[in-house]
Amino acid sequence: MKRDSRLSGVLHVLLHMAEADAPVTSEAMAKAMRTNPVVIRRIMAGLRDAGFVHSEKGHGGGWTIARDLADITLRDVYAALGSPELFAMANRTETPGCLVEQAVNAALNSAFQDATALLLNRFGAVTLAALSADFHARMVTSGKFIDLESGHAA
Amino acid sequence: MKRDSRLSGVLHVLLHMAEADAPVTSEAMAKAMRTNPVVIRRIMAGLRDAGFVHSEKGHGGGWTIARDLADITLRDVYAALGSPELFAMANRTETPGCLVEQAVNAALNSAFQDATALLLNRFGAVTLAALSADFHARMVTSGKFIDLESGHAA
DNA sequence: TTTCATGAAACTTCATATGTTGCGAGATGA
DNA sequence: TCATCTCGCAACATATGAAGTTTCATGAAA
C-alpha cells in the first residue's frame, strides 16, 4: 500500500518555517523538500484553516507560524490534516452479517483502538517546541548548521 | 491509501475451516468470502509454508487446519502473512540528511514503535481458539446458525 | 483417463498518495 | 495603471500496491 507521508512532511515544513524570520514561500519549501509548491500548499491547507499558520499573497508573502510552537502538538497537526487513517490494515467488511467475521473484527478492532489511543496520546505529548529543541540539540551535536540558501540543515 | 485486509480475510477463512470436518476447497471459501479462489490461495500460501494449514490436491482435496486452534495466535497468522506494514503513515525520508527531518522521524518512530509493540502483544494474546469461542458465543446469543450450504453463519 | 483440486505466473482493475499544469485572485511595488 | 509575486483551487497525470482474473501445469482420486 502507498503510505501517507503528509504528517512527516508537514512537520518538516513547520520546523523549517520556525527557523525563518520572514514568510516562507511554498516554492522555497518545495525546493527544500524536493517536491512541488502545490503539494506544500495542499498539506498546509488544513493547518491554515485550523489557525496554526497564516498565508499571505503577493510580494513578501508566504507562510508564517501563527501560534507559539509550545502550543501546537503533533496531535493538533495530525487533526489539522484531517485525522488520516493510522493503520495499513482494514477489516474485510466493516458491518458483516457473518458472525465469524464479527468475531474477527471485534478482536482486531479492540487492538487497533488501543493502538490508536496510544498513538494519539503520544502525539498529544509532543509539541513543535520540543521537536525544535531536539533539532537544535542535534545541530549542536553534529556540528552541522543551517544552510541559509535552502533553509535546510546541511 | 488502499488498506490491506488480508489478516482480516485469512482469519475469517481459518475460522470457517475450523467449523468444517472435511477439507474446504479454495472455491468454497471464495464463494463464502465473495472473492476469487486464487485470492484465497494467495493469502493461504504463507500459512501453508508456516505449517499452520495443509493443502491437498485432487478429489476430496482442499484446506485443513494442521494445528490445534489454541496453538495459533493472531500474531502467528500475521507473521505468516509476511508481517505486512501495520501503519498507513510513513516518514517522508527514511534516512534523512536533514537534521530537522531526523528530529521529526525520531519523534514519530518512537510513537509508532510503541504502537507496534502494543499491537503485536495484543495479537500474541489472542488464539484462534479464543476467536472461535467468541464466534460460538455470538451464535448462541444471536440465535443464528451455520449455513451448511455456504459454510457461512447466516 | 477424466475430473477435481492446488500452485504459480501474468495480467487487469481499482484506489489513492503524490506530482504537475494552468489560471484566477489578491497584494506589492514601480 | 501595470508588471510581478504569491497563494487558492481545480483538473489532470503518474506511481504504487492490494485485489481480482485468466491461464496453464501438476498431482490425486474416482
Side-chain angles (χ1 to χ4, degrees), chain A residues 55-92:
Chain A
S55 64
E56 198 73 43
K57 292 181 179 177
H59 279 280
W63 299 86
T64 46
I65 296 191
R67 290 203 201 160
D68 191 308
L69 292 187
D71 293 336
I72 307 177
T73 68
L74 300 203
R75 181 164 180 169
D76 294 327
V77 176
Y78 169 73
L81 289 178
S83 300
E85 182 57 50
L86 290 171
F87 302 104
M89 315 193 67
N91 290 326
R92 225 178 50 83

PDB file of all heavy atoms in Angstrom, chain A residues 55-92:
ATOM      1  N   SER A  55      -1.140  32.478   5.814  1.00  0.00           N
ATOM      2  CA  SER A  55      -0.540  32.653   4.493  1.00  0.00           C
ATOM      3  C   SER A  55      -0.876  34.035   3.954  1.00  0.00           C
ATOM      4  O   SER A  55      -1.952  34.577   4.211  1.00  0.00           O
ATOM      5  CB  SER A  55      -1.044  31.567   3.533  1.00  0.00           C
ATOM      6  OG  SER A  55      -2.434  31.689   3.315  1.00  0.00           O
ATOM      7  N   GLU A  56       0.063  34.589   3.240  1.00  0.00           N
ATOM      8  CA  GLU A  56      -0.087  35.944   2.703  1.00  0.00           C
ATOM      9  C   GLU A  56       0.275  35.924   1.223  1.00  0.00           C
ATOM     10  O   GLU A  56       1.261  35.306   0.833  1.00  0.00           O
ATOM     11  CB  GLU A  56       0.865  36.883   3.448  1.00  0.00           C
ATOM     12  CG  GLU A  56       0.530  38.351   3.313  1.00  0.00           C
ATOM     13  CD  GLU A  56      -0.694  38.723   4.132  1.00  0.00           C
ATOM     14  OE1 GLU A  56      -0.807  38.264   5.292  1.00  0.00           O
ATOM     15  OE2 GLU A  56      -1.550  39.447   3.607  1.00  0.00           O
ATOM     16  N   LYS A  57      -0.516  36.586   0.434  1.00  0.00           N
ATOM     17  CA  LYS A  57      -0.245  36.637  -1.011  1.00  0.00           C
ATOM     18  C   LYS A  57       0.689  37.783  -1.361  1.00  0.00           C
ATOM     19  O   LYS A  57       0.946  38.660  -0.554  1.00  0.00           O
ATOM     20  CB  LYS A  57      -1.553  36.800  -1.776  1.00  0.00           C
ATOM     21  CG  LYS A  57      -2.477  35.597  -1.720  1.00  0.00           C
ATOM     22  CD  LYS A  57      -3.733  35.857  -2.532  1.00  0.00           C
ATOM     23  CE  LYS A  57      -4.656  34.660  -2.510  1.00  0.00           C
ATOM     24  NZ  LYS A  57      -5.914  34.934  -3.231  1.00  0.00           N
ATOM     25  N   GLY A  58       1.141  37.768  -2.591  1.00  0.00           N
ATOM     26  CA  GLY A  58       1.896  38.886  -3.153  1.00  0.00           C
ATOM     27  C   GLY A  58       3.341  38.988  -2.703  1.00  0.00           C
ATOM     28  O   GLY A  58       3.867  38.095  -2.018  1.00  0.00           O
ATOM     29  N   HIS A  59       3.971  40.063  -3.093  1.00  0.00           N
ATOM     30  CA  HIS A  59       5.376  40.310  -2.747  1.00  0.00           C
ATOM     31  C   HIS A  59       5.592  40.181  -1.247  1.00  0.00           C
ATOM     32  O   HIS A  59       4.828  40.731  -0.455  1.00  0.00           O
ATOM     33  CB  HIS A  59       5.782  41.720  -3.186  1.00  0.00           C
ATOM     34  CG  HIS A  59       6.127  41.821  -4.624  1.00  0.00           C
ATOM     35  ND1 HIS A  59       7.347  41.452  -5.144  1.00  0.00           N
ATOM     36  CD2 HIS A  59       5.394  42.245  -5.680  1.00  0.00           C
ATOM     37  CE1 HIS A  59       7.350  41.660  -6.449  1.00  0.00           C
ATOM     38  NE2 HIS A  59       6.174  42.137  -6.800  1.00  0.00           N
ATOM     39  N   GLY A  60       6.634  39.479  -0.890  1.00  0.00           N
ATOM     40  CA  GLY A  60       6.938  39.322   0.540  1.00  0.00           C
ATOM     41  C   GLY A  60       5.977  38.389   1.245  1.00  0.00           C
ATOM     42  O   GLY A  60       6.019  38.246   2.464  1.00  0.00           O
ATOM     43  N   GLY A  61       5.100  37.762   0.464  1.00  0.00           N
ATOM     44  CA  GLY A  61       4.126  36.852   1.055  1.00  0.00           C
ATOM     45  C   GLY A  61       4.733  35.498   1.322  1.00  0.00           C
ATOM     46  O   GLY A  61       5.935  35.287   1.171  1.00  0.00           O
ATOM     47  N   GLY A  62       3.875  34.578   1.724  1.00  0.00           N
ATOM     48  CA  GLY A  62       4.330  33.227   2.049  1.00  0.00           C
ATOM     49  C   GLY A  62       3.669  32.768   3.337  1.00  0.00           C
ATOM     50  O   GLY A  62       2.605  33.264   3.702  1.00  0.00           O
ATOM     51  N   TRP A  63       4.316  31.817   3.983  1.00  0.00           N
ATOM     52  CA  TRP A  63       3.723  31.194   5.160  1.00  0.00           C
ATOM     53  C   TRP A  63       4.451  31.583   6.437  1.00  0.00           C
ATOM     54  O   TRP A  63       5.669  31.656   6.474  1.00  0.00           O
ATOM     55  CB  TRP A  63       3.780  29.675   5.016  1.00  0.00           C
ATOM     56  CG  TRP A  63       3.031  29.159   3.840  1.00  0.00           C
ATOM     57  CD1 TRP A  63       3.507  29.035   2.567  1.00  0.00           C
ATOM     58  CD2 TRP A  63       1.687  28.707   3.815  1.00  0.00           C
ATOM     59  NE1 TRP A  63       2.536  28.522   1.749  1.00  0.00           N
ATOM     60  CE2 TRP A  63       1.405  28.308   2.483  1.00  0.00           C
ATOM     61  CE3 TRP A  63       0.677  28.588   4.771  1.00  0.00           C
ATOM     62  CZ2 TRP A  63       0.163  27.809   2.106  1.00  0.00           C
ATOM     63  CZ3 TRP A  63      -0.556  28.086   4.392  1.00  0.00           C
ATOM     64  CH2 TRP A  63      -0.807  27.706   3.076  1.00  0.00           C
ATOM     65  N   THR A  64       3.662  31.813   7.486  1.00  0.00           N
ATOM     66  CA  THR A  64       4.233  32.076   8.811  1.00  0.00           C
ATOM     67  C   THR A  64       3.475  31.256   9.842  1.00  0.00           C
ATOM     68  O   THR A  64       2.305  30.907   9.636  1.00  0.00           O
ATOM     69  CB  THR A  64       4.115  33.562   9.187  1.00  0.00           C
ATOM     70  OG1 THR A  64       2.781  34.003   8.883  1.00  0.00           O
ATOM     71  CG2 THR A  64       5.099  34.414   8.412  1.00  0.00           C
ATOM     72  N   ILE A  65       4.153  30.963  10.945  1.00  0.00           N
ATOM     73  CA  ILE A  65       3.502  30.237  12.027  1.00  0.00           C
ATOM     74  C   ILE A  65       2.719  31.227  12.875  1.00  0.00           C
ATOM     75  O   ILE A  65       3.228  32.286  13.224  1.00  0.00           O
ATOM     76  CB  ILE A  65       4.541  29.476  12.864  1.00  0.00           C
ATOM     77  CG1 ILE A  65       5.208  28.411  11.974  1.00  0.00           C
ATOM     78  CG2 ILE A  65       3.886  28.842  14.081  1.00  0.00           C
ATOM     79  CD1 ILE A  65       6.062  27.430  12.722  1.00  0.00           C
ATOM     80  N   ALA A  66       1.475  30.887  13.159  1.00  0.00           N
ATOM     81  CA  ALA A  66       0.576  31.849  13.795  1.00  0.00           C
ATOM     82  C   ALA A  66       0.447  31.648  15.300  1.00  0.00           C
ATOM     83  O   ALA A  66      -0.262  32.401  15.962  1.00  0.00           O
ATOM     84  CB  ALA A  66      -0.807  31.776  13.140  1.00  0.00           C
ATOM     85  N   ARG A  67       1.112  30.637  15.841  1.00  0.00           N
ATOM     86  CA  ARG A  67       0.998  30.387  17.278  1.00  0.00           C
ATOM     87  C   ARG A  67       2.351  30.026  17.849  1.00  0.00           C
ATOM     88  O   ARG A  67       3.290  29.689  17.127  1.00  0.00           O
ATOM     89  CB  ARG A  67       0.050  29.212  17.540  1.00  0.00           C
ATOM     90  CG  ARG A  67      -1.391  29.529  17.232  1.00  0.00           C
ATOM     91  CD  ARG A  67      -2.271  28.592  18.028  1.00  0.00           C
ATOM     92  NE  ARG A  67      -3.602  28.504  17.428  1.00  0.00           N
ATOM     93  CZ  ARG A  67      -4.441  27.500  17.661  1.00  0.00           C
ATOM     94  NH1 ARG A  67      -4.058  26.508  18.448  1.00  0.00           N
ATOM     95  NH2 ARG A  67      -5.627  27.484  17.101  1.00  0.00           N
ATOM     96  N   ASP A  68       2.405  30.033  19.139  1.00  0.00           N
ATOM     97  CA  ASP A  68       3.620  29.615  19.832  1.00  0.00           C
ATOM     98  C   ASP A  68       3.840  28.127  19.586  1.00  0.00           C
ATOM     99  O   ASP A  68       2.906  27.333  19.690  1.00  0.00           O
ATOM    100  CB  ASP A  68       3.463  29.882  21.330  1.00  0.00           C
ATOM    101  CG  ASP A  68       4.784  29.725  22.063  1.00  0.00           C
ATOM    102  OD1 ASP A  68       5.437  28.668  21.885  1.00  0.00           O
ATOM    103  OD2 ASP A  68       5.167  30.645  22.793  1.00  0.00           O
ATOM    104  N   LEU A  69       5.070  27.751  19.264  1.00  0.00           N
ATOM    105  CA  LEU A  69       5.375  26.347  18.978  1.00  0.00           C
ATOM    106  C   LEU A  69       5.027  25.449  20.157  1.00  0.00           C
ATOM    107  O   LEU A  69       4.749  24.261  19.979  1.00  0.00           O
ATOM    108  CB  LEU A  69       6.861  26.183  18.640  1.00  0.00           C
ATOM    109  CG  LEU A  69       7.352  26.796  17.332  1.00  0.00           C
ATOM    110  CD1 LEU A  69       8.797  26.375  17.087  1.00  0.00           C
ATOM    111  CD2 LEU A  69       6.477  26.367  16.171  1.00  0.00           C
ATOM    112  N   ALA A  70       5.067  26.037  21.354  1.00  0.00           N
ATOM    113  CA  ALA A  70       4.764  25.232  22.546  1.00  0.00           C
ATOM    114  C   ALA A  70       3.277  24.935  22.661  1.00  0.00           C
ATOM    115  O   ALA A  70       2.862  24.089  23.462  1.00  0.00           O
ATOM    116  CB  ALA A  70       5.253  25.957  23.801  1.00  0.00           C
ATOM    117  N   ASP A  71       2.483  25.625  21.847  1.00  0.00           N
ATOM    118  CA  ASP A  71       1.033  25.433  21.916  1.00  0.00           C
ATOM    119  C   ASP A  71       0.507  24.533  20.809  1.00  0.00           C
ATOM    120  O   ASP A  71      -0.703  24.399  20.627  1.00  0.00           O
ATOM    121  CB  ASP A  71       0.321  26.788  21.843  1.00  0.00           C
ATOM    122  CG  ASP A  71       0.600  27.639  23.069  1.00  0.00           C
ATOM    123  OD1 ASP A  71       0.924  27.054  24.125  1.00  0.00           O
ATOM    124  OD2 ASP A  71       0.519  28.869  22.968  1.00  0.00           O
ATOM    125  N   ILE A  72       1.405  23.962  20.021  1.00  0.00           N
ATOM    126  CA  ILE A  72       0.980  23.078  18.930  1.00  0.00           C
ATOM    127  C   ILE A  72       1.583  21.697  19.157  1.00  0.00           C
ATOM    128  O   ILE A  72       2.804  21.549  19.227  1.00  0.00           O
ATOM    129  CB  ILE A  72       1.443  23.607  17.554  1.00  0.00           C
ATOM    130  CG1 ILE A  72       0.998  25.068  17.370  1.00  0.00           C
ATOM    131  CG2 ILE A  72       0.886  22.734  16.440  1.00  0.00           C
ATOM    132  CD1 ILE A  72       1.481  25.689  16.057  1.00  0.00           C
ATOM    133  N   THR A  73       0.727  20.706  19.294  1.00  0.00           N
ATOM    134  CA  THR A  73       1.215  19.341  19.465  1.00  0.00           C
ATOM    135  C   THR A  73       1.118  18.579  18.142  1.00  0.00           C
ATOM    136  O   THR A  73       0.417  18.990  17.221  1.00  0.00           O
ATOM    137  CB  THR A  73       0.397  18.570  20.513  1.00  0.00           C
ATOM    138  OG1 THR A  73      -0.920  18.363  19.996  1.00  0.00           O
ATOM    139  CG2 THR A  73       0.320  19.339  21.828  1.00  0.00           C
ATOM    140  N   LEU A  74       1.813  17.461  18.099  1.00  0.00           N
ATOM    141  CA  LEU A  74       1.725  16.636  16.900  1.00  0.00           C
ATOM    142  C   LEU A  74       0.287  16.183  16.680  1.00  0.00           C
ATOM    143  O   LEU A  74      -0.152  15.987  15.547  1.00  0.00           O
ATOM    144  CB  LEU A  74       2.628  15.400  17.024  1.00  0.00           C
ATOM    145  CG  LEU A  74       4.125  15.640  17.211  1.00  0.00           C
ATOM    146  CD1 LEU A  74       4.904  14.413  16.767  1.00  0.00           C
ATOM    147  CD2 LEU A  74       4.588  16.863  16.469  1.00  0.00           C
ATOM    148  N   ARG A  75      -0.434  16.040  17.768  1.00  0.00           N
ATOM    149  CA  ARG A  75      -1.835  15.636  17.636  1.00  0.00           C
ATOM    150  C   ARG A  75      -2.660  16.722  16.960  1.00  0.00           C
ATOM    151  O   ARG A  75      -3.548  16.435  16.160  1.00  0.00           O
ATOM    152  CB  ARG A  75      -2.408  15.319  19.023  1.00  0.00           C
ATOM    153  CG  ARG A  75      -3.842  14.872  18.954  1.00  0.00           C
ATOM    154  CD  ARG A  75      -4.270  14.202  20.219  1.00  0.00           C
ATOM    155  NE  ARG A  75      -5.665  13.766  20.132  1.00  0.00           N
ATOM    156  CZ  ARG A  75      -6.243  12.967  21.013  1.00  0.00           C
ATOM    157  NH1 ARG A  75      -5.544  12.527  22.030  1.00  0.00           N
ATOM    158  NH2 ARG A  75      -7.494  12.603  20.854  1.00  0.00           N
ATOM    159  N   ASP A  76      -2.358  17.985  17.294  1.00  0.00           N
ATOM    160  CA  ASP A  76      -3.042  19.098  16.630  1.00  0.00           C
ATOM    161  C   ASP A  76      -2.775  19.059  15.133  1.00  0.00           C
ATOM    162  O   ASP A  76      -3.668  19.258  14.316  1.00  0.00           O
ATOM    163  CB  ASP A  76      -2.536  20.436  17.185  1.00  0.00           C
ATOM    164  CG  ASP A  76      -2.912  20.634  18.642  1.00  0.00           C
ATOM    165  OD1 ASP A  76      -3.983  20.167  19.040  1.00  0.00           O
ATOM    166  OD2 ASP A  76      -2.109  21.249  19.382  1.00  0.00           O
ATOM    167  N   VAL A  77      -1.517  18.832  14.791  1.00  0.00           N
ATOM    168  CA  VAL A  77      -1.136  18.812  13.386  1.00  0.00           C
ATOM    169  C   VAL A  77      -1.823  17.653  12.672  1.00  0.00           C
ATOM    170  O   VAL A  77      -2.369  17.808  11.577  1.00  0.00           O
ATOM    171  CB  VAL A  77       0.397  18.700  13.241  1.00  0.00           C
ATOM    172  CG1 VAL A  77       0.793  18.568  11.773  1.00  0.00           C
ATOM    173  CG2 VAL A  77       1.075  19.912  13.878  1.00  0.00           C
ATOM    174  N   TYR A  78      -1.800  16.513  13.349  1.00  0.00           N
ATOM    175  CA  TYR A  78      -2.468  15.338  12.781  1.00  0.00           C
ATOM    176  C   TYR A  78      -3.946  15.620  12.528  1.00  0.00           C
ATOM    177  O   TYR A  78      -4.486  15.308  11.456  1.00  0.00           O
ATOM    178  CB  TYR A  78      -2.293  14.152  13.733  1.00  0.00           C
ATOM    179  CG  TYR A  78      -3.147  12.965  13.412  1.00  0.00           C
ATOM    180  CD1 TYR A  78      -2.865  12.164  12.315  1.00  0.00           C
ATOM    181  CD2 TYR A  78      -4.257  12.644  14.203  1.00  0.00           C
ATOM    182  CE1 TYR A  78      -3.662  11.077  12.011  1.00  0.00           C
ATOM    183  CE2 TYR A  78      -5.051  11.558  13.910  1.00  0.00           C
ATOM    184  CZ  TYR A  78      -4.758  10.775  12.814  1.00  0.00           C
ATOM    185  OH  TYR A  78      -5.551   9.709  12.512  1.00  0.00           O
ATOM    186  N   ALA A  79      -4.593  16.236  13.509  1.00  0.00           N
ATOM    187  CA  ALA A  79      -6.020  16.554  13.363  1.00  0.00           C
ATOM    188  C   ALA A  79      -6.239  17.552  12.231  1.00  0.00           C
ATOM    189  O   ALA A  79      -7.212  17.444  11.471  1.00  0.00           O
ATOM    190  CB  ALA A  79      -6.576  17.095  14.682  1.00  0.00           C
ATOM    191  N   ALA A  80      -5.310  18.527  12.114  1.00  0.00           N
ATOM    192  CA  ALA A  80      -5.455  19.549  11.070  1.00  0.00           C
ATOM    193  C   ALA A  80      -5.330  18.944   9.681  1.00  0.00           C
ATOM    194  O   ALA A  80      -5.832  19.499   8.699  1.00  0.00           O
ATOM    195  CB  ALA A  80      -4.413  20.650  11.265  1.00  0.00           C
ATOM    196  N   LEU A  81      -4.665  17.809   9.595  1.00  0.00           N
ATOM    197  CA  LEU A  81      -4.554  17.128   8.300  1.00  0.00           C
ATOM    198  C   LEU A  81      -5.826  16.352   7.974  1.00  0.00           C
ATOM    199  O   LEU A  81      -5.949  15.762   6.907  1.00  0.00           O
ATOM    200  CB  LEU A  81      -3.361  16.170   8.305  1.00  0.00           C
ATOM    201  CG  LEU A  81      -1.968  16.800   8.288  1.00  0.00           C
ATOM    202  CD1 LEU A  81      -0.905  15.719   8.345  1.00  0.00           C
ATOM    203  CD2 LEU A  81      -1.788  17.653   7.049  1.00  0.00           C
ATOM    204  N   GLY A  82      -6.746  16.333   8.938  1.00  0.00           N
ATOM    205  CA  GLY A  82      -7.990  15.616   8.698  1.00  0.00           C
ATOM    206  C   GLY A  82      -7.987  14.246   9.338  1.00  0.00           C
ATOM    207  O   GLY A  82      -8.771  13.375   8.968  1.00  0.00           O
ATOM    208  N   SER A  83      -7.097  14.060  10.333  1.00  0.00           N
ATOM    209  CA  SER A  83      -7.005  12.776  11.028  1.00  0.00           C
ATOM    210  C   SER A  83      -6.982  11.604  10.053  1.00  0.00           C
ATOM    211  O   SER A  83      -7.874  10.741  10.081  1.00  0.00           O
ATOM    212  CB  SER A  83      -8.183  12.620  12.008  1.00  0.00           C
ATOM    213  OG  SER A  83      -8.173  13.656  12.966  1.00  0.00           O
ATOM    214  N   PRO A  84      -5.989  11.564   9.210  1.00  0.00           N
ATOM    215  CA  PRO A  84      -5.930  10.482   8.217  1.00  0.00           C
ATOM    216  C   PRO A  84      -5.773   9.115   8.894  1.00  0.00           C
ATOM    217  O   PRO A  84      -5.341   9.023  10.037  1.00  0.00           O
ATOM    218  CB  PRO A  84      -4.701  10.821   7.382  1.00  0.00           C
ATOM    219  CG  PRO A  84      -3.870  11.703   8.247  1.00  0.00           C
ATOM    220  CD  PRO A  84      -4.827  12.460   9.106  1.00  0.00           C
ATOM    221  N   GLU A  85      -6.156   8.115   8.177  1.00  0.00           N
ATOM    222  CA  GLU A  85      -6.079   6.735   8.650  1.00  0.00           C
ATOM    223  C   GLU A  85      -4.691   6.430   9.217  1.00  0.00           C
ATOM    224  O   GLU A  85      -3.678   6.732   8.596  1.00  0.00           O
ATOM    225  CB  GLU A  85      -6.373   5.801   7.487  1.00  0.00           C
ATOM    226  CG  GLU A  85      -6.381   4.349   7.856  1.00  0.00           C
ATOM    227  CD  GLU A  85      -7.366   4.067   8.960  1.00  0.00           C
ATOM    228  OE1 GLU A  85      -8.528   4.490   8.848  1.00  0.00           O
ATOM    229  OE2 GLU A  85      -6.968   3.459   9.984  1.00  0.00           O
ATOM    230  N   LEU A  86      -4.648   5.813  10.395  1.00  0.00           N
ATOM    231  CA  LEU A  86      -3.367   5.489  11.016  1.00  0.00           C
ATOM    232  C   LEU A  86      -2.844   4.135  10.575  1.00  0.00           C
ATOM    233  O   LEU A  86      -1.637   3.926  10.510  1.00  0.00           O
ATOM    234  CB  LEU A  86      -3.514   5.480  12.543  1.00  0.00           C
ATOM    235  CG  LEU A  86      -3.744   6.832  13.222  1.00  0.00           C
ATOM    236  CD1 LEU A  86      -4.081   6.623  14.689  1.00  0.00           C
ATOM    237  CD2 LEU A  86      -2.497   7.706  13.079  1.00  0.00           C
ATOM    238  N   PHE A  87      -3.754   3.205  10.297  1.00  0.00           N
ATOM    239  CA  PHE A  87      -3.327   1.822  10.083  1.00  0.00           C
ATOM    240  C   PHE A  87      -3.429   1.378   8.634  1.00  0.00           C
ATOM    241  O   PHE A  87      -4.298   1.822   7.888  1.00  0.00           O
ATOM    242  CB  PHE A  87      -4.132   0.889  10.976  1.00  0.00           C
ATOM    243  CG  PHE A  87      -3.983   1.237  12.426  1.00  0.00           C
ATOM    244  CD1 PHE A  87      -4.988   1.890  13.104  1.00  0.00           C
ATOM    245  CD2 PHE A  87      -2.802   0.956  13.091  1.00  0.00           C
ATOM    246  CE1 PHE A  87      -4.826   2.248  14.437  1.00  0.00           C
ATOM    247  CE2 PHE A  87      -2.624   1.313  14.413  1.00  0.00           C
ATOM    248  CZ  PHE A  87      -3.645   1.967  15.081  1.00  0.00           C
ATOM    249  N   ALA A  88      -2.542   0.485   8.296  1.00  0.00           N
ATOM    250  CA  ALA A  88      -2.487   0.000   6.921  1.00  0.00           C
ATOM    251  C   ALA A  88      -3.399  -1.204   6.732  1.00  0.00           C
ATOM    252  O   ALA A  88      -3.557  -1.704   5.638  1.00  0.00           O
ATOM    253  CB  ALA A  88      -1.045  -0.369   6.557  1.00  0.00           C
ATOM    254  N   MET A  89      -4.009  -1.683   7.827  1.00  0.00           N
ATOM    255  CA  MET A  89      -4.838  -2.868   7.724  1.00  0.00           C
ATOM    256  C   MET A  89      -6.297  -2.523   7.999  1.00  0.00           C
ATOM    257  O   MET A  89      -6.593  -1.711   8.865  1.00  0.00           O
ATOM    258  CB  MET A  89      -4.358  -3.924   8.712  1.00  0.00           C
ATOM    259  CG  MET A  89      -2.835  -4.050   8.693  1.00  0.00           C
ATOM    260  SD  MET A  89      -2.244  -5.506   9.543  1.00  0.00           S
ATOM    261  CE  MET A  89      -2.867  -6.771   8.481  1.00  0.00           C
ATOM    262  N   ALA A  90      -7.156  -3.149   7.271  1.00  0.00           N
ATOM    263  CA  ALA A  90      -8.583  -2.878   7.403  1.00  0.00           C
ATOM    264  C   ALA A  90      -9.338  -4.179   7.603  1.00  0.00           C
ATOM    265  O   ALA A  90      -8.832  -5.259   7.290  1.00  0.00           O
ATOM    266  CB  ALA A  90      -9.104  -2.173   6.154  1.00  0.00           C
ATOM    267  N   ASN A  91     -10.534  -4.075   8.127  1.00  0.00           N
ATOM    268  CA  ASN A  91     -11.397  -5.242   8.154  1.00  0.00           C
ATOM    269  C   ASN A  91     -11.897  -5.497   6.746  1.00  0.00           C
ATOM    270  O   ASN A  91     -12.102  -4.568   5.971  1.00  0.00           O
ATOM    271  CB  ASN A  91     -12.583  -5.006   9.084  1.00  0.00           C
ATOM    272  CG  ASN A  91     -12.157  -4.962  10.533  1.00  0.00           C
ATOM    273  OD1 ASN A  91     -11.232  -5.661  10.937  1.00  0.00           O
ATOM    274  ND2 ASN A  91     -12.822  -4.130  11.311  1.00  0.00           N
ATOM    275  N   ARG A  92     -12.078  -6.780   6.462  1.00  0.00           N
ATOM    276  CA  ARG A  92     -12.545  -7.154   5.134  1.00  0.00           C
ATOM    277  C   ARG A  92     -13.907  -6.525   4.865  1.00  0.00           C
ATOM    278  O   ARG A  92     -14.182  -6.034   3.773  1.00  0.00           O
ATOM    279  CB  ARG A  92     -12.649  -8.672   5.055  1.00  0.00           C
ATOM    280  CG  ARG A  92     -12.099  -9.308   3.817  1.00  0.00           C
ATOM    281  CD  ARG A  92     -12.255 -10.802   3.941  1.00  0.00           C
ATOM    282  NE  ARG A  92     -13.616 -11.137   4.316  1.00  0.00           N
ATOM    283  CZ  ARG A  92     -14.602 -11.233   3.434  1.00  0.00           C
ATOM    284  NH1 ARG A  92     -14.379 -11.063   2.164  1.00  0.00           N
ATOM    285  NH2 ARG A  92     -15.817 -11.526   3.853  1.00  0.00           N
TER     286      ARG A  92
END
